[in-house]
mmCIF file with all atom_site columns, all heavy atoms in Angstrom:
data_model
loop_
_atom_site.group_PDB
_atom_site.id
_atom_site.type_symbol
_atom_site.label_atom_id
_atom_site.label_alt_id
_atom_site.label_comp_id
_atom_site.label_asym_id
_atom_site.label_entity_id
_atom_site.label_seq_id
_atom_site.pdbx_PDB_ins_code
_atom_site.Cartn_x
_atom_site.Cartn_y
_atom_site.Cartn_z
_atom_site.occupancy
_atom_site.B_iso_or_equiv
_atom_site.pdbx_formal_charge
_atom_site.auth_seq_id
_atom_site.auth_comp_id
_atom_site.auth_asym_id
_atom_site.auth_atom_id
_atom_site.pdbx_PDB_model_num
ATOM 1   N N   . ALA A 1 63 ? 98.530  111.309 106.302 1.00 0.00 ? 183 ALA A N   1
ATOM 2   C CA  . ALA A 1 63 ? 98.255  110.171 107.190 1.00 0.00 ? 183 ALA A CA  1
ATOM 3   C C   . ALA A 1 63 ? 99.539  109.492 107.649 1.00 0.00 ? 183 ALA A C   1
ATOM 4   O O   . ALA A 1 63 ? 99.737  109.290 108.854 1.00 0.00 ? 183 ALA A O   1
ATOM 5   C CB  . ALA A 1 63 ? 97.320  109.184 106.491 1.00 0.00 ? 183 ALA A CB  1
ATOM 6   N N   . PRO A 1 64 ? 100.466 109.135 106.733 1.00 0.00 ? 184 PRO A N   1
ATOM 7   C CA  . PRO A 1 64 ? 101.666 108.455 107.230 1.00 0.00 ? 184 PRO A CA  1
ATOM 8   C C   . PRO A 1 64 ? 102.525 109.336 108.128 1.00 0.00 ? 184 PRO A C   1
ATOM 9   O O   . PRO A 1 64 ? 103.077 108.834 109.123 1.00 0.00 ? 184 PRO A O   1
ATOM 10  C CB  . PRO A 1 64 ? 102.425 108.046 105.956 1.00 0.00 ? 184 PRO A CB  1
ATOM 11  C CG  . PRO A 1 64 ? 101.752 108.711 104.824 1.00 0.00 ? 184 PRO A CG  1
ATOM 12  C CD  . PRO A 1 64 ? 100.392 109.116 105.262 1.00 0.00 ? 184 PRO A CD  1
ATOM 13  N N   . ASP A 1 65 ? 102.661 110.631 107.807 1.00 0.00 ? 185 ASP A N   1
ATOM 14  C CA  . ASP A 1 65 ? 103.468 111.483 108.688 1.00 0.00 ? 185 ASP A CA  1
ATOM 15  C C   . ASP A 1 65 ? 102.838 111.573 110.076 1.00 0.00 ? 185 ASP A C   1
ATOM 16  O O   . ASP A 1 65 ? 103.540 111.635 111.088 1.00 0.00 ? 185 ASP A O   1
ATOM 17  C CB  . ASP A 1 65 ? 103.637 112.874 108.071 1.00 0.00 ? 185 ASP A CB  1
ATOM 18  C CG  . ASP A 1 65 ? 104.628 112.870 106.907 1.00 0.00 ? 185 ASP A CG  1
ATOM 19  O OD1 . ASP A 1 65 ? 105.790 112.466 107.128 1.00 0.00 ? 185 ASP A OD1 1
ATOM 20  O OD2 . ASP A 1 65 ? 104.253 113.225 105.791 1.00 0.00 ? 185 ASP A OD2 1
ATOM 21  N N   . THR A 1 66 ? 101.507 111.574 110.121 1.00 0.00 ? 186 THR A N   1
ATOM 22  C CA  . THR A 1 66 ? 100.821 111.647 111.407 1.00 0.00 ? 186 THR A CA  1
ATOM 23  C C   . THR A 1 66 ? 101.051 110.383 112.229 1.00 0.00 ? 186 THR A C   1
ATOM 24  O O   . THR A 1 66 ? 101.403 110.448 113.409 1.00 0.00 ? 186 THR A O   1
ATOM 25  C CB  . THR A 1 66 ? 99.305  111.876 111.182 1.00 0.00 ? 186 THR A CB  1
ATOM 26  O OG1 . THR A 1 66 ? 99.139  113.137 110.531 1.00 0.00 ? 186 THR A OG1 1
ATOM 27  C CG2 . THR A 1 66 ? 98.527  111.850 112.483 1.00 0.00 ? 186 THR A CG2 1
ATOM 28  N N   . ILE A 1 67 ? 100.886 109.217 111.606 1.00 0.00 ? 187 ILE A N   1
ATOM 29  C CA  . ILE A 1 67 ? 100.979 107.991 112.405 1.00 0.00 ? 187 ILE A CA  1
ATOM 30  C C   . ILE A 1 67 ? 102.431 107.638 112.743 1.00 0.00 ? 187 ILE A C   1
ATOM 31  O O   . ILE A 1 67 ? 102.708 107.138 113.824 1.00 0.00 ? 187 ILE A O   1
ATOM 32  C CB  . ILE A 1 67 ? 100.244 106.806 111.733 1.00 0.00 ? 187 ILE A CB  1
ATOM 33  C CG1 . ILE A 1 67 ? 100.874 106.395 110.408 1.00 0.00 ? 187 ILE A CG1 1
ATOM 34  C CG2 . ILE A 1 67 ? 98.766  107.129 111.554 1.00 0.00 ? 187 ILE A CG2 1
ATOM 35  C CD1 . ILE A 1 67 ? 100.202 105.184 109.754 1.00 0.00 ? 187 ILE A CD1 1
ATOM 36  N N   . VAL A 1 68 ? 103.356 107.942 111.824 1.00 0.00 ? 188 VAL A N   1
ATOM 37  C CA  . VAL A 1 68 ? 104.762 107.675 112.138 1.00 0.00 ? 188 VAL A CA  1
ATOM 38  C C   . VAL A 1 68 ? 105.232 108.609 113.248 1.00 0.00 ? 188 VAL A C   1
ATOM 39  O O   . VAL A 1 68 ? 105.959 108.210 114.159 1.00 0.00 ? 188 VAL A O   1
ATOM 40  C CB  . VAL A 1 68 ? 105.638 107.829 110.865 1.00 0.00 ? 188 VAL A CB  1
ATOM 41  C CG1 . VAL A 1 68 ? 107.114 107.900 111.224 1.00 0.00 ? 188 VAL A CG1 1
ATOM 42  C CG2 . VAL A 1 68 ? 105.389 106.665 109.908 1.00 0.00 ? 188 VAL A CG2 1
ATOM 43  N N   . ASN A 1 69 ? 104.768 109.853 113.216 1.00 0.00 ? 189 ASN A N   1
ATOM 44  C CA  . ASN A 1 69 ? 105.161 110.828 114.242 1.00 0.00 ? 189 ASN A CA  1
ATOM 45  C C   . ASN A 1 69 ? 104.778 110.362 115.638 1.00 0.00 ? 189 ASN A C   1
ATOM 46  O O   . ASN A 1 69 ? 105.514 110.545 116.604 1.00 0.00 ? 189 ASN A O   1
ATOM 47  C CB  . ASN A 1 69 ? 104.492 112.168 113.944 1.00 0.00 ? 189 ASN A CB  1
ATOM 48  C CG  . ASN A 1 69 ? 104.826 113.247 114.960 1.00 0.00 ? 189 ASN A CG  1
ATOM 49  O OD1 . ASN A 1 69 ? 105.986 113.620 115.098 1.00 0.00 ? 189 ASN A OD1 1
ATOM 50  N ND2 . ASN A 1 69 ? 103.829 113.729 115.684 1.00 0.00 ? 189 ASN A ND2 1
ATOM 51  N N   . GLN A 1 70 ? 103.618 109.717 115.759 1.00 0.00 ? 190 GLN A N   1
ATOM 52  C CA  . GLN A 1 70 ? 103.174 109.290 117.094 1.00 0.00 ? 190 GLN A CA  1
ATOM 53  C C   . GLN A 1 70 ? 103.384 107.790 117.312 1.00 0.00 ? 190 GLN A C   1
ATOM 54  O O   . GLN A 1 70 ? 103.116 107.286 118.410 1.00 0.00 ? 190 GLN A O   1
ATOM 55  C CB  . GLN A 1 70 ? 101.705 109.647 117.297 1.00 0.00 ? 190 GLN A CB  1
ATOM 56  C CG  . GLN A 1 70 ? 100.781 108.951 116.314 1.00 0.00 ? 190 GLN A CG  1
ATOM 57  C CD  . GLN A 1 70 ? 99.316  109.292 116.565 1.00 0.00 ? 190 GLN A CD  1
ATOM 58  O OE1 . GLN A 1 70 ? 98.987  110.230 117.282 1.00 0.00 ? 190 GLN A OE1 1
ATOM 59  N NE2 . GLN A 1 70 ? 98.430  108.500 115.990 1.00 0.00 ? 190 GLN A NE2 1
ATOM 60  N N   . GLY A 1 71 ? 103.835 107.070 116.273 1.00 0.00 ? 191 GLY A N   1
ATOM 61  C CA  . GLY A 1 71 ? 104.105 105.640 116.425 1.00 0.00 ? 191 GLY A CA  1
ATOM 62  C C   . GLY A 1 71 ? 102.870 104.790 116.599 1.00 0.00 ? 191 GLY A C   1
ATOM 63  O O   . GLY A 1 71 ? 102.929 103.668 117.096 1.00 0.00 ? 191 GLY A O   1
ATOM 64  N N   . ASN A 1 72 ? 101.712 105.291 116.154 1.00 0.00 ? 192 ASN A N   1
ATOM 65  C CA  . ASN A 1 72 ? 100.452 104.574 116.371 1.00 0.00 ? 192 ASN A CA  1
ATOM 66  C C   . ASN A 1 72 ? 99.487  104.906 115.239 1.00 0.00 ? 192 ASN A C   1
ATOM 67  O O   . ASN A 1 72 ? 99.414  106.061 114.811 1.00 0.00 ? 192 ASN A O   1
ATOM 68  C CB  . ASN A 1 72 ? 99.852  104.995 117.723 1.00 0.00 ? 192 ASN A CB  1
ATOM 69  C CG  . ASN A 1 72 ? 98.725  104.076 118.166 1.00 0.00 ? 192 ASN A CG  1
ATOM 70  O OD1 . ASN A 1 72 ? 97.670  104.031 117.552 1.00 0.00 ? 192 ASN A OD1 1
ATOM 71  N ND2 . ASN A 1 72 ? 98.957  103.331 119.251 1.00 0.00 ? 192 ASN A ND2 1
ATOM 72  N N   . ILE A 1 73 ? 98.766  103.887 114.765 1.00 0.00 ? 193 ILE A N   1
ATOM 73  C CA  . ILE A 1 73 ? 97.893  104.117 113.607 1.00 0.00 ? 193 ILE A CA  1
ATOM 74  C C   . ILE A 1 73 ? 96.572  104.791 113.974 1.00 0.00 ? 193 ILE A C   1
ATOM 75  O O   . ILE A 1 73 ? 95.832  105.204 113.091 1.00 0.00 ? 193 ILE A O   1
ATOM 76  C CB  . ILE A 1 73 ? 97.599  102.823 112.812 1.00 0.00 ? 193 ILE A CB  1
ATOM 77  C CG1 . ILE A 1 73 ? 96.797  101.824 113.650 1.00 0.00 ? 193 ILE A CG1 1
ATOM 78  C CG2 . ILE A 1 73 ? 98.884  102.189 112.297 1.00 0.00 ? 193 ILE A CG2 1
ATOM 79  C CD1 . ILE A 1 73 ? 96.158  100.725 112.812 1.00 0.00 ? 193 ILE A CD1 1
ATOM 80  N N   . PHE A 1 74 ? 96.244  104.862 115.270 1.00 0.00 ? 194 PHE A N   1
ATOM 81  C CA  . PHE A 1 74 ? 95.009  105.539 115.667 1.00 0.00 ? 194 PHE A CA  1
ATOM 82  C C   . PHE A 1 74 ? 95.332  106.940 116.180 1.00 0.00 ? 194 PHE A C   1
ATOM 83  O O   . PHE A 1 74 ? 96.409  107.179 116.724 1.00 0.00 ? 194 PHE A O   1
ATOM 84  C CB  . PHE A 1 74 ? 94.291  104.767 116.778 1.00 0.00 ? 194 PHE A CB  1
ATOM 85  C CG  . PHE A 1 74 ? 93.967  103.349 116.404 1.00 0.00 ? 194 PHE A CG  1
ATOM 86  C CD1 . PHE A 1 74 ? 94.490  102.292 117.123 1.00 0.00 ? 194 PHE A CD1 1
ATOM 87  C CD2 . PHE A 1 74 ? 93.138  103.065 115.324 1.00 0.00 ? 194 PHE A CD2 1
ATOM 88  C CE1 . PHE A 1 74 ? 94.203  100.974 116.784 1.00 0.00 ? 194 PHE A CE1 1
ATOM 89  C CE2 . PHE A 1 74 ? 92.835  101.759 114.978 1.00 0.00 ? 194 PHE A CE2 1
ATOM 90  C CZ  . PHE A 1 74 ? 93.371  100.703 115.710 1.00 0.00 ? 194 PHE A CZ  1
ATOM 91  N N   . VAL A 1 75 ? 94.384  107.850 116.041 1.00 0.00 ? 195 VAL A N   1
ATOM 92  C CA  . VAL A 1 75 ? 94.558  109.157 116.677 1.00 0.00 ? 195 VAL A CA  1
ATOM 93  C C   . VAL A 1 75 ? 93.567  109.292 117.833 1.00 0.00 ? 195 VAL A C   1
ATOM 94  O O   . VAL A 1 75 ? 92.469  108.729 117.800 1.00 0.00 ? 195 VAL A O   1
ATOM 95  C CB  . VAL A 1 75 ? 94.396  110.338 115.691 1.00 0.00 ? 195 VAL A CB  1
ATOM 96  C CG1 . VAL A 1 75 ? 95.559  110.371 114.710 1.00 0.00 ? 195 VAL A CG1 1
ATOM 97  C CG2 . VAL A 1 75 ? 93.073  110.278 114.946 1.00 0.00 ? 195 VAL A CG2 1
ATOM 98  N N   . THR A 1 76 ? 93.998  110.020 118.859 1.00 0.00 ? 196 THR A N   1
ATOM 99  C CA  . THR A 1 76 ? 93.159  110.272 120.033 1.00 0.00 ? 196 THR A CA  1
ATOM 100 C C   . THR A 1 76 ? 93.708  111.505 120.753 1.00 0.00 ? 196 THR A C   1
ATOM 101 O O   . THR A 1 76 ? 94.469  112.265 120.165 1.00 0.00 ? 196 THR A O   1
ATOM 102 C CB  . THR A 1 76 ? 93.121  109.035 120.949 1.00 0.00 ? 196 THR A CB  1
ATOM 103 O OG1 . THR A 1 76 ? 92.265  109.308 122.063 1.00 0.00 ? 196 THR A OG1 1
ATOM 104 C CG2 . THR A 1 76 ? 94.508  108.670 121.466 1.00 0.00 ? 196 THR A CG2 1
ATOM 105 N N   . THR A 1 77 ? 93.334  111.711 122.008 1.00 0.00 ? 197 THR A N   1
ATOM 106 C CA  . THR A 1 77 ? 93.782  112.888 122.740 1.00 0.00 ? 197 THR A CA  1
ATOM 107 C C   . THR A 1 77 ? 95.307  113.034 122.689 1.00 0.00 ? 197 THR A C   1
ATOM 108 O O   . THR A 1 77 ? 96.020  112.051 122.867 1.00 0.00 ? 197 THR A O   1
ATOM 109 C CB  . THR A 1 77 ? 93.356  112.785 124.224 1.00 0.00 ? 197 THR A CB  1
ATOM 110 O OG1 . THR A 1 77 ? 91.964  112.518 124.253 1.00 0.00 ? 197 THR A OG1 1
ATOM 111 C CG2 . THR A 1 77 ? 93.631  114.088 124.957 1.00 0.00 ? 197 THR A CG2 1
ATOM 112 N N   . ASN A 1 78 ? 95.743  114.247 122.434 1.00 0.00 ? 198 ASN A N   1
ATOM 113 C CA  . ASN A 1 78 ? 97.157  114.622 122.306 1.00 0.00 ? 198 ASN A CA  1
ATOM 114 C C   . ASN A 1 78 ? 97.763  114.271 120.953 1.00 0.00 ? 198 ASN A C   1
ATOM 115 O O   . ASN A 1 78 ? 98.908  114.617 120.688 1.00 0.00 ? 198 ASN A O   1
ATOM 116 C CB  . ASN A 1 78 ? 98.040  114.042 123.423 1.00 0.00 ? 198 ASN A CB  1
ATOM 117 C CG  . ASN A 1 78 ? 97.638  114.575 124.773 1.00 0.00 ? 198 ASN A CG  1
ATOM 118 O OD1 . ASN A 1 78 ? 97.231  115.740 124.898 1.00 0.00 ? 198 ASN A OD1 1
ATOM 119 N ND2 . ASN A 1 78 ? 97.713  113.741 125.795 1.00 0.00 ? 198 ASN A ND2 1
ATOM 120 N N   . SER A 1 79 ? 97.027  113.580 120.083 1.00 0.00 ? 199 SER A N   1
ATOM 121 C CA  . SER A 1 79 ? 97.558  113.336 118.738 1.00 0.00 ? 199 SER A CA  1
ATOM 122 C C   . SER A 1 79 ? 97.640  114.665 117.998 1.00 0.00 ? 199 SER A C   1
ATOM 123 O O   . SER A 1 79 ? 96.723  115.488 118.067 1.00 0.00 ? 199 SER A O   1
ATOM 124 C CB  . SER A 1 79 ? 96.643  112.410 117.936 1.00 0.00 ? 199 SER A CB  1
ATOM 125 O OG  . SER A 1 79 ? 96.635  111.115 118.471 1.00 0.00 ? 199 SER A OG  1
ATOM 126 N N   . GLN A 1 80 ? 98.743  114.833 117.287 1.00 0.00 ? 200 GLN A N   1
ATOM 127 C CA  . GLN A 1 80 ? 98.860  115.994 116.407 1.00 0.00 ? 200 GLN A CA  1
ATOM 128 C C   . GLN A 1 80 ? 98.667  115.537 114.974 1.00 0.00 ? 200 GLN A C   1
ATOM 129 O O   . GLN A 1 80 ? 99.249  114.529 114.563 1.00 0.00 ? 200 GLN A O   1
ATOM 130 C CB  . GLN A 1 80 ? 100.236 116.639 116.575 1.00 0.00 ? 200 GLN A CB  1
ATOM 131 C CG  . GLN A 1 80 ? 100.392 117.309 117.931 1.00 0.00 ? 200 GLN A CG  1
ATOM 132 C CD  . GLN A 1 80 ? 101.592 118.226 117.970 1.00 0.00 ? 200 GLN A CD  1
ATOM 133 O OE1 . GLN A 1 80 ? 102.673 117.833 117.553 1.00 0.00 ? 200 GLN A OE1 1
ATOM 134 N NE2 . GLN A 1 80 ? 101.401 119.441 118.452 1.00 0.00 ? 200 GLN A NE2 1
ATOM 135 N N   . LEU A 1 81 ? 97.843  116.250 114.233 1.00 0.00 ? 201 LEU A N   1
ATOM 136 C CA  . LEU A 1 81 ? 97.654  115.944 112.814 1.00 0.00 ? 201 LEU A CA  1
ATOM 137 C C   . LEU A 1 81 ? 98.782  116.644 112.063 1.00 0.00 ? 201 LEU A C   1
ATOM 138 O O   . LEU A 1 81 ? 98.887  117.867 112.084 1.00 0.00 ? 201 LEU A O   1
ATOM 139 C CB  . LEU A 1 81 ? 96.284  116.428 112.339 1.00 0.00 ? 201 LEU A CB  1
ATOM 140 C CG  . LEU A 1 81 ? 95.092  116.047 113.231 1.00 0.00 ? 201 LEU A CG  1
ATOM 141 C CD1 . LEU A 1 81 ? 93.776  116.389 112.522 1.00 0.00 ? 201 LEU A CD1 1
ATOM 142 C CD2 . LEU A 1 81 ? 95.134  114.589 113.637 1.00 0.00 ? 201 LEU A CD2 1
ATOM 143 N N   . ILE A 1 82 ? 99.651  115.843 111.447 1.00 0.00 ? 202 ILE A N   1
ATOM 144 C CA  . ILE A 1 82 ? 100.889 116.351 110.853 1.00 0.00 ? 202 ILE A CA  1
ATOM 145 C C   . ILE A 1 82 ? 100.703 116.531 109.346 1.00 0.00 ? 202 ILE A C   1
ATOM 146 O O   . ILE A 1 82 ? 100.083 115.702 108.681 1.00 0.00 ? 202 ILE A O   1
ATOM 147 C CB  . ILE A 1 82 ? 102.060 115.384 111.140 1.00 0.00 ? 202 ILE A CB  1
ATOM 148 C CG1 . ILE A 1 82 ? 102.202 115.126 112.649 1.00 0.00 ? 202 ILE A CG1 1
ATOM 149 C CG2 . ILE A 1 82 ? 103.369 115.905 110.557 1.00 0.00 ? 202 ILE A CG2 1
ATOM 150 C CD1 . ILE A 1 82 ? 102.617 116.320 113.470 1.00 0.00 ? 202 ILE A CD1 1
#
Side-chain angles (χ1 to χ4, degrees):
Chain A
D185 285 302
T186 297
I187 65 177
V188 166
N189 179 62
Q190 62 178 15
N192 193 293
I193 65 164
F194 303 119
V195 291
T196 182
T197 308
N198 297 325
S199 292
Q200 291 194 312
L201 312 189
I202 305 294

